Amino acid sequence: MTAVGVRQVRSRLRRLRRRHHGTSFDDFLTDLYLLALLAALYGWAFVDMSRDFLGSALVRAGDPAEQRWLVAAAVLTAAGFGWAGLRVLGPVFVGPALQSWVASAPIDRRRLLLPRFAGLLTGASAVVALLGFLFGVLSRIAADAPALEAGIVDATLLGAAIGLLAGAAAVVAQGARRARWAVELPGRVLIGAGALVAGTVVVLHFGPGTPMPRPDGTVPLAVPALVFVAAATAVVFAVRALRRLDRATTTTGAQFASRAAAAAVMLDPTLIADLLEARRWRALGRVRSRRFRSGPRWWALTQAELRRAVRRRGALLGWAALVLVQYAVALAVPGLAGPAQVLTAFLAGDRLAGGLRAITRSPGLRRALGGGDTGLKLAHLAGPALAAALFLLVTAPVAGGRPAWADAVLLLGVGAAVYRSGTRPALVYDGPVVETPFGLIPVDLLRQLWRGWDVVALLIVVDLIATR
């Protein structure tokens, strides 16, 4: 019996894919040219808009030292969420065509996964290097120190090194079979560090009045060099870990990737949200059953909704994080405190509207619970509406001066926005479209996607009029 080689598997799969995809090399170059052109156009527009925004009176009204520390907190938090995203993705995953070979065939798994591993490192390093380049450009625009003019290259190199290190370390974590808690630790540490820095800035601003030291925005060249050394070490361990990747660890990311592709094609983000929601509830394991307090049906449903919110610690931490974000925005860009409060209040309430979305999309669940649809929806709206109201109350000191009637309108409006977003039915794709000089625009589809956000936009206009 002859063992199957990796090269034979790749050749076989390549021939099978060619039967389904008739894209020529010219078409590939055309697509690449269009992507480069769009990236250049939108990149230049982004830098130009950022230059105008950083030079506006809105940004100049804040303390430069606090702004820099808050930017550092945002970078740490983004790095933590980036690590969590890599863990959700796998990051090395295989599609259905390779799953059977990886699981059961007598094949060198490391050689089979090595091209995907190289693509992962290249993509992660390129993406983070691009973010570092943009960060360096924006820092040069916003800073007064001429030393930052030479920091763009250093920031780009540091971003490339961090992306390489993160990609390799995520593969090492994917192949770990023991101490699973340590796998999630880097993301939690980064997010916690970001929250700690932002919280310290907020406390010192409203506390005894201790001035914040102004951090130096330059990146010494030795820092990227050290990170590159650590990344090279992580790459060696990651290559060794490829042998330990089994079917379970390499197919979890494939499920998320297929859902993400479907969500992008169908323009329906709920496809990813439903998958993440199911994973969160599976991660809870067992829960302790407790009796509800006696009362009418709506009271029992409200208790169930509140207990569901308490059991999801991530949702409560997200609510607290949004409070910190609102305070940070009020310090960094005081002129945008009012619109930011409307937006974050909606996000705080909508994040806890999982029960409302569940009963809206499940007629069987509504029949099982009994009663009218309106009563069920209002009972499941109580928790998100209460969370949004508490958010508006806690963040009121940094929302800017507003008349009382505006506060009442925003309170009712945020509740209405959460209700419209939570009761959005499944998307319908056969609605009317409008032909414009820029092409066909699916008006009905956009109307469905903007359900809830349309009320938020209207509330922001009301806030700007009231505080003018």
Side-chain angles (χ1 to χ4, degrees):
M1 180 178 178
T2 304
V4 179
V6 174
R7 184 172 300 176
Q8 294 173 290
V9 175
R10 288 176 185 161
S11 301
R12 177 70 174 173
L13 291 175
R14 197 177 298 116
R15 286 196 300 271
L16 292 175
R17 291 192 181 103
R18 286 173 181 169
R19 295 178 184 177
H20 300 284
H21 302 284
T23 305
S24 63
F25 187 68
D26 294 339
D27 295 335
F28 171 74
L29 291 180
T30 302
D31 295 340
L32 193 63
Y33 168 75
L34 289 177
L35 289 176
L37 180 62
L38 291 176
L41 291 176
Y42 284 107
W44 176 257
F46 172 76
V47 172
D48 189 55
M49 293 174 60
S50 300
R51 181 187 295 110
D52 296 339
F53 177 72
L54 294 175
S56 64
L58 290 175
V59 178
R60 298 296 180 187
D63 185 1
E66 292 178 347
Q67 290 173 342
R68 289 193 177 186
W69 280 111
L70 292 175
V71 170
V75 171
L76 289 173
T77 305
F81 281 112
W83 175 265
L86 283 175
R87 294 292 306 134
V88 171
L89 195 59
V92 176
F93 62 92
V94 296
L98 278 178
Q99 288 180 9
S100 60
W101 292 97
V102 173
S104 58
I107 197 170
D108 189 345
R109 190 169 302 172
R110 186 170 65 183
R111 287 189 60 192
L112 182 67
L113 298 177
L114 204 54
R116 297 170 183 270
F117 173 68
L120 167 71
L121 294 187
T122 304
S125 181
V127 169
V128 185
L130 178 61
L131 294 178
F133 172 77
L134 292 176
F135 184 79
V137 171
L138 296 180
S139 298
R140 187 179 67 86
I141 294 174
D144 299 329
L148 289 179
E149 295 180 358
I152 298 177
V153 177
D154 296 342
T156 306
L157 292 176
L158 180 61
I162 291 176
L164 188 64
L165 175 62
V171 176
V172 175
Q174 187 179 5
R177 296 179 179 177
R178 297 179 180 177
R180 303 294 300 177
W181 60 270
V183 171
E184 310 297 338
L185 188 60
R188 295 177 181 176
V189 169
L190 289 171
I191 295 175
L196 180 62
V197 172
T200 303
V201 174
V202 172
V203 169
L204 290 180
H205 179 85
F206 293 99
T210 304
M212 290 290 297
R214 186 168 182 168
D216 188 3
T218 57
V219 180
L221 189 58
V223 176
L226 292 176
V227 179
F228 266 119
V229 173
T233 306
V235 168
V236 173
F237 283 99
V239 172
R240 294 180 179 178
L242 290 178
R243 288 184 183 276
R244 299 193 296 269
L245 300 185
D246 54 14
R247 182 171 184 172
T249 56
T250 54
T251 56
T252 304
Q255 184 185 15
F256 180 82
S258 61
R259 284 291 189 96
V265 172
M266 304 296 289
L267 296 178
D268 191 357
T270 58
L271 295 177
I272 298 180
D274 292 342
L275 176 63
L276 296 178
E277 185 80 7
R279 289 189 179 186
R280 291 192 192 101
W281 285 115
R282 283 201 301 267
L284 287 180
R286 293 185 302 176
V287 295
R288 181 177 299 176
S289 179
R290 290 184 299 174
R291 290 180 178 272
F292 292 139
R293 295 184 181 275
S294 59
R297 181 193 304 273
W298 67 268
W299 175 234
L301 294 175
T302 304
Q303 292 180 72
E305 184 69 12
L306 293 177
R307 287 186 187 180
R308 185 183 299 111
V310 171
R311 283 169 177 166
R312 279 188 53 191
R313 298 178 181 176
L316 299 179
L317 289 175
W319 185 91
L322 286 172
V323 173
L324 185 58
V325 168
Q326 170 59 30
Y327 274 82
V329 171
L331 295 185
V333 193
L336 296 180
Q341 190 200 27
V342 176
L343 181 61
T344 49
F346 168 72
L347 295 176
D350 187 67
R351 185 173 173 80
L352 297 173
L356 185 60
R357 281 189 285 269
I359 64 166
T360 301
R361 298 169 188 171
S362 177
L365 180 59
R366 293 199 300 271
R367 287 194 295 269
L369 292 176
D373 291 352
T374 304
L376 289 175
K377 293 177 181 177
L378 291 178
H380 287 82
L381 179 65
L386 180 61
L390 287 176
F391 185 90
L392 292 173
L393 180 63
V394 172
T395 58
V398 292
R402 254 193 224 122
W405 65 267
D407 290 332
V409 170
L410 293 181
L411 179 60
L412 296 176
V414 170
V418 172
Y419 180 80
R420 279 181 60 79
S421 176
T423 56
R424 196 191 76 180
L427 291 180
V428 177
Y429 297 92
D430 58 351
V433 296
V434 176
E435 185 174 2
T436 67
F438 303 99
L440 294 176
I441 297 179
V443 180
D444 187 66
L445 183 59
L446 294 178
R447 179 189 60 80
Q448 298 175 67
L449 292 174
W450 276 89
R451 183 183 171 97
W453 290 98
D454 50 359
V455 179
V456 174
L458 183 62
L459 292 176
I460 290 177
V461 174
V462 172
D463 176 77
L464 293 176
I465 294 174
T467 57
R468 186 177 57 183

